Each structure stands twice: as C-alpha cells, then as structure tokens.
Amino acid sequence: MDNNLQPAALSAEELRELYRLVTAVRQLDLAAIAWQRQGIIPGYAPELGQEAAQVGSAFAMDPEHDFVFPTYREMGVALTMGVDMTAYMSTHKASWHGGLYNPVQTRLAPIQAVVGGSVLHAVGWAHGQTLAGNPGVALTYFGDGASSQGDVHEAMNFAGVLKAPVIFFVQNNGWAISLPTEAQVAGGTVAARAAGYGMKAITVDGNDAAAVVLATREAAAHARAGHGPVLIEAMTYRRGPHSTSDDPGRYRSLAEERRDEGADPVQLLADRLLADGIADDAFLDTALQDAKTNADAVREGVMALGPRPGREMFDFVFAEPTEALKAQARAWREESEHV
Amino acid sequence: MQAALNRALAETLAEDPRAVVLGEDVGRLGGVFRITDGLQQRFGADRVFDTPLAESGILGMSVGLAMAGFHPIPEVQFDGFAYPAVNQIVTQLARMNYRSRGTMPMPVTLRVPSFGGIRAPEHHGESLEALFAHVPGLKVVSPSSPHEAYHLLKHAAAVPDPVIFMEPKSRYWQKGDVFLDDAGPMEGAKVVRPGKHVTLVAWGAMVARCLSVAELAAEDGIEVEVLDLRWLKPIDAEGLAASVARTRRAVVVHEAPLTSGLGAEVAALITERCFDTLRAPVGRVTGFDVPYPSGDLEDEYIPNIDRILFGIQRVLEYRRG
C-alpha cells in the first residue's frame, strides 16, 4: 500500500467553506422535510446526520475531471458540487426522474432509486477514463443496505480486476430503512470486504467533515495515480426517518437514537472552528443566515416549478425516436386537452 | 453467419474509435461461438476485453462506458444468461436517456446468441424478444441470414439507442452471400419470398424454416409470402400491412411461448390495419407455454415444417360463421 499519499491538512478558508456547506445542507434538508409536511413536495429522503460525509467527500473531487454517481439521498453532494438546487429538488417534487439538472454539465449522474444500480456505472465510466487516458476519478455513493446488492459486489470485483479509478463511498448510517447494520452486513463492516477485492479501504468518522475530505483526497490520489479503486466507509448515523413516509418509532426508540447518533456533524465542525480560532460566532451566525436564505430561495424555486409539459413524456425515450412512438405522441396530442 | 458477424464487428471497431467489445471470453478465446475471433489480437485488449463472469456487471459497466462517451458492444454468452442482467438492462440501460433528459444517450449494442436449435442444456436456448420489446427505451433486432447479420449489426452499432441484437445461434454456421455494397434498407421488415395466398411472418432462425415451408407449399400450388420482420422493436407495421393487404391471410411463426408473445402484437397490428381485407383471423404457430425444453424435446417445441403447414392450412380453410 502506498503510504506517501497523505494529503495536506485543510486550510482555514477550506474549513470555513466546509462549514458554510454543511450548514447550507442542514438547513435545506430541514426545510425540505417541512415542505413535504406542507404539501409542497410529495416526498423526500432526509439526510440529517450525513451532512459531513456528503459535503466532505464531494468537496474533495475535481469537478473538471471527476464524475459523481449519487443515490437518491445525496442532496449534500449536489449542493457541494454547485448543482442548481431547484433543479435538484425537482426530483422530489416528482417533476422528472433523475432531476431537472444537466448531469453532463454538473458531473453528477441522474438520481435513481434502484439500490446499487449506479455503482456499476461508476466502474464503467472510470474504466473509460483509463481507456481514454483521462485523469478522471469516479465517486460512487451507496449505503450499508446497498452493500448487500449483487451489483455492488460485481462492481467492486470488476474495479479490482480492472484497477479502475473508482472511489466506493459507503455512508454507513446504521440503518437500511428498518434493518440495522448488524442484520445487513455480514462481517460487521463494509470496509472489511475491500481486501477480498484487492482494494484499499479507509474507514473514516463520517461526522467529521474535515476527516472525510482528507480520506477522499487520499483515495482520489490513489485512484488517479493508477493504483486502482478505494473503498471509503464513512461511519454516520441516520438521525431521522429513511423517508418522509417512514416511522422510525416502529424499529428504534428515542433513547436508542440518542445513544447511537454520535456527534452532530455540523456542531462538531463549529466547535472545532471556534476552538482553533478559525471562525467566531459572527461567522457562524452569518453562515446560518445565508443557509436559511438559500433554503428559502430554493423553496421559492420549487414552488414556482409548474407541471412538466405532457409532450416531454415522449421526448427522451430514444435519442432516435421510433415512428410508433411518434404516432403515440400524435394520438396523445389529439386525444388530450393538455396541448 | 459467424464470419459475417465477425467482419461487421471488425469493421465497426476500425471505423468507430469509440466502439469497444466486452464480455465473458470475447478476447483471447474469441467468444464461445468465435464471433469475436481475432478481434483482440487486431484491436488490442483496450478495445476488446474480457470481463469477470457477471452479466449484470457487463451491462452496468456498459452503461458507464456509454456515459463516458464510448459505444459499447457487450456480449452475454447465452440468452438465458441475460436474465441476471435484466435489472441493468431494464432499470438502467433502457432509461438513462429518459432519466437524463436526453443528455446521456446509450449507444449500446447488446449481442445475445438467441433461440434454440443447437440441443443445448437449460438456459442455453431462450426466446427473449417479447421481454425486451416490451421495455420502453430498447430496440430489438434479429438477423436471419449472413447478409442481414453483417449489415444489421453494423447498423445497430451506429444507432444512438440501446439495441438488443438477437443472433440466431442455430444459424451461426449457415453459409450465404453477403452483398457488401448493397445493404438494402436497414429499417423495417423485408419480403424475402413473394407470394399471394398467405403471409408467413417470422424472424431469426424461423425465417429459413418458413422459406422451406414456402417451397413445400408451392408444390401444392399455395404461394406463400415470407416476411422477415427483422426489427422486433420497432415493428414495421406498415410493411406488415402492405404484405397482408396483398395476401389477405397471415400466420406468425416464433419460437417463444404463445401467451403474450410477439405473435400477439403482430396479430393486433395486422388486425388494426387490415381488418376489412382479412379473410381469416391471424394464425399463430409458436413455442408452447413451457420452459424452453432440453435438446431431446426441442424438435417438439420449435415450430417445425408440419406445424407451420397446418397453421397455413387453418387460415386458408377458415370459413366465416
């Protein structure tokens, strides 16, 4: 294993930026849950407690060369990558599968709900970088639940064999909806599996944004240097429900939540910034106000999203549409009032 | 047909620098049917590469390669082994263009050695066309001759959408002319034998069988038109209608089980367009609603010449009321 990849520690400005980002993610996440309760969006997948894992990992990527493959719970990744958050949130408004953002321009693959489905895509994309002689690294997210999927094992094996520049980023939040990690992951950790695929593994405190940045930078350097894939297991805790339709009270108690949730990632970073003299209370207040302002702006954007024009249903099925589909679109237009 | 497919792949790799061939044993071995024979030696292990044994992995990786701008031509070794890849084909490959609002097209040509007729064990002979044709976002094509195999594979590899390319494995060693400079139209169905009494609609290996049937029927004065459907999605409804408008009778022949097979789709398309001219309900001669049988029972399952002749007789002798 190459031990000369320890990246430099984060600068004060990087730490402040991390704090702005985790705070923005926290506020937008809380806001989105409220929007669901208010009927603005039909559903949402909260990520309370995973802000540092998401922001820290995405923060480490090179948006010019790298590409990111999210699940449906990577709002913090999207925000960190600078994706238009109204376009991102449109997927939770049920405007369009995959979201209304442009995945090619933003370097963030479309959102999709098949657990583990996109992990193989990251391997294919990453191998494509090797074939093309590009320096890009693929970062793919999945959870402890998805680690049970056959596609994830196939992806790790393919990547190990091909030495594909992929980072398998596991957010182990302790729960796959109602099933705890110990009933989901044989062997106790996902990171332990990396050895079986000939792959470097890093276990990191997923509540510590700075540590996640460093781990991901180290993994990216390793992959970019042609040493093959890396598995990062970020230990987090899903503080809220799996989705806005979930009821965690059926499978865990509040006492258990308090016992297991660990340090709050946003508070942890705030404490560190204050202790190190990198930020003061005024900075933290400003970050919070900016985050709330941002969440309000996204709310306005989401509320302003009208229904999609019906013809779009037919527009993107094929790059080269068939005559049969064109005929169906014409028939729909004739038979429908929504012209 | 094997040589025609091999040549089509070689020319695609030579002409399209984004094309890559991947799958189990496609490299050093040249594929279990030798369709990729010599391609790795000629184009290198970056363009033609062996993958670990995992069909979902092959298809999922192809999706990612397409996202990276490549034109993957994956192979699954046998049709029955496409089932482990169905999740990636249906939930990912077929939907990525839609999901990404057209920004991530999927120019992926999946080669599937298909259908029966080689006395293979379970899962080495299946007819998956209805399964794939039913999925929005996929196109499905099956060649019936070396000429069609060569041109349709080159064409499929140039289509910007996912194409399931169903190679009739019982015809791999069939000889036949390939007219390199005269492809003919690559879209739609093709009349491979004109006739005036009944149209036999078939694809893949069944086309040759229907041509044999037409020869025999001609001895009894029955002029059978054989229509090679070729594209199973999109189906050439106009080509179907044009043929049946002439013959006024149709029988569709396929190896797949009867129920919810493509024969039902063909029959519906013909009925919608030719109801007034039809002189009999559209007939179907197909496999049965049983798992594709092992070699010993294959001949009982796959539509044979006698069953097809009976099918023709039924529509010719149909009397209203």
Side-chain angles (χ1 to χ4, degrees), chain B residues 52-278:
Chain B
L53 198 165
E55 288 78 11
S56 188
I58 293 166
L59 270 297
M61 181 167 181
S62 295
V63 170
L65 281 163
M67 285 174 159
F70 288 86
H71 297 167
I73 309 176
E75 174 185 300
V76 295
Q77 211 155 61
F78 284 90
D79 31 28
F81 305 153
Y83 291 121
V86 163
N87 170 40
Q88 280 290 335
I89 294 169
V90 173
T91 72
Q92 308 300 327
L93 177 65
R95 290 175 180 230
M96 198 56 74
N97 190 67
Y98 197 75
R99 189 180 284 154
S100 70
R101 299 175 62 77
T103 60
M104 290 179 153
M106 289 283 121
V108 175
T109 304
L110 169 60
R111 293 184 36 252
V112 187
S114 293
F115 316 117
I118 63 163
R119 306 216 173 276
E122 189 178 18
H123 297 312
H124 292 67
E126 303 267 330
S127 290
L128 306 179
E129 60 267 43
L131 177 69
F132 290 129
H134 191 62
V135 177
L138 297 181
K139 296 174 178 175
V140 185
V141 64
S142 186
S144 62
S145 69
H147 176 82
E148 297 289 338
Y150 169 80
H151 289 291
L152 283 172
L153 182 52
K154 289 194 74 175
H155 183 76
V159 167
D161 291 303
V163 180
I164 312 296
F165 193 84
M166 301 181 67
E167 298 170 1
K169 63 173 88 78
S170 67
R171 308 296 292 170
Y172 272 148
W173 312 112
Q174 170 209 3
K175 304 259 189 286
D177 292 329
V178 176
F179 304 99
L180 295 176
D181 299 328
D182 182 19
M186 282 294 98
E187 308 287 340
K190 190 170 177 178
V191 174
V192 289
R193 177 187 173 114
K196 64 182 183 188
H197 295 127
V198 59
T199 296
L200 279 184
V201 183
W203 51 90
M206 286 299 98
V207 173
R209 185 151 296 176
C210 287
L211 286 170
S212 302
V213 166
E215 288 286 326
L216 287 170
E219 293 173 11
D220 293 331
I222 301 165
E223 296 180 32
V224 174
E225 177 148 312
V226 180
L227 187 74
D228 179 357
L229 200 58
R230 300 198 301 175
W231 288 90
L232 313 178
K233 170 88 167 281
I235 288 181
D236 177 10
E238 299 313 314
L240 267 179
S243 174
V244 178
R246 289 190 294 273
T247 62
R248 307 182 71 179
R249 292 180 178 87
V251 176
V252 56
V253 179
H254 63 63
E255 294 186 43
L258 174 75
T259 301
S260 301
L262 269 195
E265 179 68 27
V266 168
L269 289 170
I270 292 171
T271 308
E272 284 168 7
R273 285 164 177 76
C274 306
F275 183 77
D276 289 339
T277 52
L278 275 178

Side-chain angles (χ1 to χ4, degrees), chain B residues 19-35:
Chain B
V20 288
V21 169
L22 67 155
E24 293 159 23
D25 308 308
V26 298
R28 290 166 71 181
L29 180 69
V32 291
F33 291 107
R34 307 292 183 268
I35 307 301

Side-chain angles (χ1 to χ4, degrees), chain A residues 134-146:
Chain A
N134 295 336
V137 170
L139 172 63
T140 178
Y141 291 89
F142 57 99
D144 42 301

Side-chain angles (χ1 to χ4, degrees), chain A residues 67 69 95-104 108-132 149 151 154-155 157-158 161-162 308 312-324, chain B residues 18 20 45-47 49-65 67-68 70 84 87-88 91-106 135-139 155 158-162 187 233-235:
Chain A
F67 210 95
F69 296 79
S95 295
W96 193 261
H97 302 317
L100 289 172
Y101 61 93
N102 182 319
V104 176
L108 182 73
I111 296 159
Q112 60 101 26
V114 175
V115 173
S118 58
V119 181
L120 278 163
H121 309 165
V123 178
W125 185 91
H127 188 59
Q129 305 316 294
T130 305
L131 296 181
Q149 286 279 358
D151 273 3
E154 293 189 20
N157 187 50
F158 272 53
V161 168
L162 295 164
R308 304 306 307 168
E312 280 195 350
M313 181 164 62
F314 302 96
D315 281 352
F316 304 113
V317 180
F318 292 110
E320 207 167 69
T322 65
E323 290 306 316
Chain B
R18 309 301 278 176
V20 288
D46 276 0
R47 305 284 309 283
F49 57 93
D50 290 316
T51 65
L53 198 165
E55 288 78 11
S56 188
I58 293 166
L59 270 297
M61 181 167 181
S62 295
V63 170
L65 281 163
M67 285 174 159
F70 288 86
N87 170 40
Q88 280 290 335
T91 72
Q92 308 300 327
L93 177 65
R95 290 175 180 230
M96 198 56 74
N97 190 67
Y98 197 75
R99 189 180 284 154
S100 70
R101 299 175 62 77
T103 60
M104 290 179 153
M106 289 283 121
V135 177
L138 297 181
K139 296 174 178 175
H155 183 76
V159 167
D161 291 303
E187 308 287 340
K233 170 88 167 281
I235 288 181

